């Protein structure tokens, strides 16, 4: 982990949804990152006021053209946020950000981990899990990988095209299941509604296979789902969780 603040150059931006955007940063002195880590971002106003927020890394080193000194963040705008509106709508290629990190060593996946993995995301909680899915594909890992993704509507989901592509990757396939809470796509087998304990049990890797879970989302979602997993017989020590927020909260 680097505890030093560094100036990162914005080398690419692209929209994920109308309210979310992916930002690629080039950071001098960065030598790769682990799938699941995050960085702190600091903005300083002209009057000296500073705001610091933590954002999960979406990229995997070496995947999708991401160099060792680069990483990508996917940021969703919060209506009352201090930082996210600028990152989503104001920051442009050629701009700069102060960053610190990468941070984290527990909520990470490494290609040397060979056991089955179950990713569970609520909304923008898919961001660090996407880093893991990309690292899994880039490494050609044979570890079974599944993603259960709860989103409000098909249009609000991140990385839709890439997730579909990863699900067809013959070398390292990713099994993807969606739960739509507000509006389901035409022809969906299941009507929209919140995830239930029964639906969760039917969709995830069985406890008998001893999967490692990576669960990320809003705090109520994470607490509810992790409780259901324990009730279904999954070992608590194999359930790794990450919640929205960080230093000062995510905004």
């Amino acid at each position: 982990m680097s505890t030093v603040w560094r100036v990162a150059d914005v080398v690419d931006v692209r929209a994920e949804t109308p309210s979310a955007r992916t930002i690629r940063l080039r950071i001098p002195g960065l030598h790769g990152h682990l799938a699941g880590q995050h960085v702190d971002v600091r903005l300083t106003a002209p009057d000296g006021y500073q705001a610091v927020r933590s954002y999960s890394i979406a990229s995997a080193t070496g995947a999708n053209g991401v160099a060792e000194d680069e990483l990508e963040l996917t940021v969703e705008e919060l209506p009352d946020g201090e930082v996210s509106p600028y990152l989503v709508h104001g920051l442009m290629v050629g701009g700069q950000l102060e960053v610190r990190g990468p941070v984290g060593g527990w909520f990470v996946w490494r290609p040397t981990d060979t056991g089955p993995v179950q990713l569970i995301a609520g909304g923008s909680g898919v961001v660090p899990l996407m880093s893991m899915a990309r690292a899994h594909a880039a490494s050609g890992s044979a570890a079974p990988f599944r993603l259960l993704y709860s989103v409000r509507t098909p249009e609000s989901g991140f990385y839709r095209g890439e997730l579909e592509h990863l699900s067809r990757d013959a070398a390292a396939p990713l099994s993807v299941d969606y739960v739509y809470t507000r509006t389901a796509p035409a022809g969906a087998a299941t009507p929209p509604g919140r995830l239930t304990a029964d639906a969760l049990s039917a969709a995830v890797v069985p406890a008998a296979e001893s999967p490692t879970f990576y669960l990320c989302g809003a705090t109520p979602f994470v607490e509810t789902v992790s409780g259901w997993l324990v009730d279904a017989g999954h070992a608590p020590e194999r359930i790794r969780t990450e919640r929205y927020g960080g230093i000062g909260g995510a905004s």
Side-chain angles (χ1 to χ4, degrees):
M1 167 186 170
S2 173
T3 59
V4 177
W5 287 100
R6 292 180 283 187
V7 177
D9 296 312
V10 179
V11 296
D12 187 43
V13 295
R14 61 182 184 273
E16 296 293 345
T17 72
S19 62
R21 151 202 254 196
T22 292
I23 303 162
R24 183 175 293 195
L25 301 174
R26 182 170 295 136
I27 306 173
L30 181 68
H31 298 288
H33 59 275
L34 299 176
Q37 289 186 308
H38 64 276
V39 296
D40 300 327
V41 173
R42 181 169 69 185
L43 299 184
T44 304
D47 64 359
Y49 172 76
Q50 293 184 325
V52 178
R53 299 293 183 268
S54 295
Y55 291 102
S56 295
I57 300 172
S59 56
T61 303
N64 301 338
V66 177
E68 277 205 345
D69 62 349
E70 296 178 339
L71 55 78
E72 291 184 341
L73 311 177
T74 299
V75 179
E76 184 168 42
E77 179 186 12
L78 298 182
D80 58 349
E82 289 185 307
V83 175
S84 61
Y86 171 70
L87 297 183
V88 174
H89 300 292
L91 186 66
M92 299 298 174
V93 172
Q96 294 182 320
L97 288 175
E98 283 188 288
V99 298
R100 180 174 61 187
V103 180
W106 184 73
F107 193 81
V108 298
W109 180 82
R110 298 173 174 85
T112 52
D113 299 336
T114 59
V117 170
Q118 177 69 62
L119 312 173
I120 304 177
S124 60
V126 75
V127 175
L129 309 187
M130 190 64 184
S131 177
M132 298 178 191
R134 286 167 166 161
H136 176 255
S139 67
S141 168
F145 248 61
R146 296 178 66 171
L147 168 65
L148 179 61
Y149 189 10
S150 175
V151 292
R152 292 183 177 184
T153 68
E155 294 74 24
S156 63
F158 294 0
Y159 321 119
R160 287 179 293 165
E162 187 175 355
L163 285 173
E164 182 179 351
H165 173 75
L166 291 175
S167 70
R168 300 194 303 266
D169 185 344
L174 172 71
S175 174
V176 182
D177 295 296
Y178 285 93
V179 174
Y180 297 99
T181 62
R182 299 285 181 85
T183 304
T190 305
R194 292 187 180 276
L195 182 66
T196 66
D198 289 342
L200 176 72
S201 293
V204 301
V205 179
E209 298 181 26
S210 299
T212 298
F213 288 87
Y214 294 90
L215 169 58
C216 186
T219 296
F221 177 85
V222 170
E223 291 182 348
T224 298
V225 172
S226 58
W228 287 341
L229 291 172
V230 173
D231 291 343
H234 293 280
E237 64 271 18
R238 301 192 72 84
I239 304 171
R240 304 186 182 191
T241 62
E242 187 77 39
R243 295 162 172 80
Y244 295 156
I247 298 174
S251 70

